[in-house]
Amino acid sequence: MGTLVSTILVVSLLGGLLALLLYVVAKKFHVEEDARIDEVEKKLPGANCGGCGFAGCRAMAEALVKEDDISTLYCPVGGGECMKLIATYLGKAAAEREPQVAVVRCSGSCANRPRVNTYDGAGSCAVAAALYAGQTGCSFGCIGLGDCTLKCDFGAIRMNPETGLPEVDDEKCTACGACVKACPKMIIELRKKAPKGRKIYVSCVNKDKGAVARKACKVACIGCGKCAKVCAHDAITVVNNLAYIDSTKCKMCRKCVAECPTGAIIEVGFPVRKPAAESAPKAEAPKVEVKVEAPKAVEEVKPNETANKE
């Protein structure tokens, strides 16, 4: 009994000493935290998606409070209104950016890009991309195993079972960039979000030469440069056999769409083009009726009558 009591006393004393030691250490190394961090964190959306470049909203709030210049800090989920609210609270200048949306730059559907082999491995784009070029002749296009859909916390991207390609819901997309980071082929990018959801972009990332790219996919960009020639705003460049449209310069005139010979340039959200009006029929000249009179019959002169006249 005495041994049990002594053991309890020793353990209790040791626990008390350790608690005292921890208290002293905590007091010595205590760091006062700015109370504004909690308030800023409450104003952030709380998505913890990492789209701002920080590991969660708490880290973003700390940076917003500590940094004097927050013009480079931006929460894509909260957007401009959220940043203005926080900047007003902190008395700093808010960062202003145009809203963006994720765009899938690949039209290599099952119909346009036939398969040449079958993948029988882990259901991950990252794993498949590390092992080989893909199931089709295009080594640049979408693998179609849906890593981007798994990384999206907002349900803004899904796989289309018919085309085998991911599709983005503009209304749900927050431009956090999670799908961009998840894609090993880098076919997803954040582009300027235009009014009415309108977009014009080259839906291809194939850098092979024209003949090779077209053989692998019916709607591949062949780098012909016709789109760049008709663009009056210098929004299109052709590098490494691939055209690219700068969304910040594009004026949505759609001339490049009509000029592309393979249909690699996509237009979304525009009204359906009206068919070219048929040329009006030429007015026919009025018909003028010309009456042709029959020649008068020549009177036959008899020989006796001629003799009498003489």
Side-chain angles (χ1 to χ4, degrees):
M1 192 65 166
T3 304
L4 179 61
V5 173
S6 60
T7 301
I8 294 174
L9 290 174
V10 170
V11 171
S12 300
L13 181 61
L14 183 60
L17 290 174
L18 290 176
L20 180 63
L21 180 62
L22 289 174
Y23 175 77
V24 172
V25 172
K27 281 290 185 181
K28 184 176 180 60
F29 296 99
H30 176 68
V31 177
E32 290 291 339
E33 189 175 56
D34 196 326
R36 294 179 299 171
I37 295 176
D38 292 332
E39 293 300 320
V40 172
E41 186 181 10
K42 292 177 183 178
K43 291 176 171 55
L44 290 170
N48 294 310
C49 61
C52 58
F54 293 93
C57 294
R58 182 71 181 183
M60 174 67 166
E62 291 176 358
L64 287 167
V65 171
K66 293 177 181 178
E67 296 290 336
D68 294 328
D69 181 12
I70 63 172
S71 59
T72 58
L73 304 178
Y74 190 80
C75 173
V77 179
E81 293 300 322
C82 174
M83 295 307 300
K84 286 180 182 179
L85 181 65
I86 293 173
T88 302
Y89 171 75
L90 296 175
K92 301 177 182 180
E96 294 185 5
R97 294 185 188 179
E98 293 181 331
Q100 294 181 311
V101 66
V103 173
V104 180
R105 293 184 56 209
C106 180
S107 293
S109 62
C110 303
N112 295 329
R113 191 172 47 137
R115 294 185 179 182
V116 295
N117 60 71
T118 301
Y119 173 71
D120 188 19
S124 166
C125 296
V127 174
L131 295 175
Y132 77 135
Q135 300 181 79
T136 68
C138 176
S139 59
F140 298 89
C142 176
I143 295 177
L145 296 178
D147 284 15
C148 52
T149 63
L150 297 175
K151 291 295 183 179
C152 182
D153 294 330
F154 307 96
I157 188 167
R158 70 177 188 89
M159 297 300 296
N160 186 319
E162 294 182 3
T163 63
L165 297 172
E167 293 180 346
V168 178
D169 186 337
D170 290 3
E171 297 301 321
K172 295 181 179 180
C173 181
T174 60
C176 68
C179 57
V180 177
K181 298 175 183 177
C183 181
K185 294 292 185 178
M186 296 181 290
I187 66 167
I188 305 178
E189 70 167 336
L190 297 178
R191 295 178 65 85
K192 174 183 174 182
K193 189 175 183 179
K196 298 181 181 179
R198 293 179 175 178
K199 295 188 285 284
I200 294 179
Y201 60 96
V202 180
S203 187
C204 181
V205 294
N206 195 326
K207 296 181 177 64
D208 286 332
K209 291 185 177 180
V212 178
R214 190 65 185 276
K215 184 179 180 180
C217 181
K218 296 178 182 178
V219 292
C221 174
I222 57 177
C224 63
K226 290 183 177 181
C227 53
K229 292 178 182 178
V230 298
C231 182
H233 310 288
D234 296 326
I236 305 178
T237 54
V238 181
V239 180
N240 293 330
N241 308 309
L242 180 65
Y244 180 79
I245 301 176
D246 188 340
S247 60
T248 61
K249 295 181 180 180
C250 179
K251 303 300 181 183
M252 304 286 181
C253 67
R254 299 196 287 173
K255 290 182 179 179
C256 56
V257 180
E259 194 68 21
C260 181
T262 64
I265 302 180
I266 302 296
E267 58 177 344
V268 179
F270 291 89
V272 179
R273 292 176 181 261
K274 295 181 179 179
E278 296 180 0
S279 56
K282 295 181 180 180
E284 296 181 359
K287 294 181 180 180
V288 179
E289 294 183 359
V290 180
K291 295 182 179 180
V292 181
E293 295 183 359
K296 295 181 179 180
V298 181
E299 295 181 359
E300 188 178 349
V301 181
K302 297 180 180 180
N304 295 334
E305 292 179 356
T306 304
N308 292 334
K309 287 181 180 181
E310 289 179 356

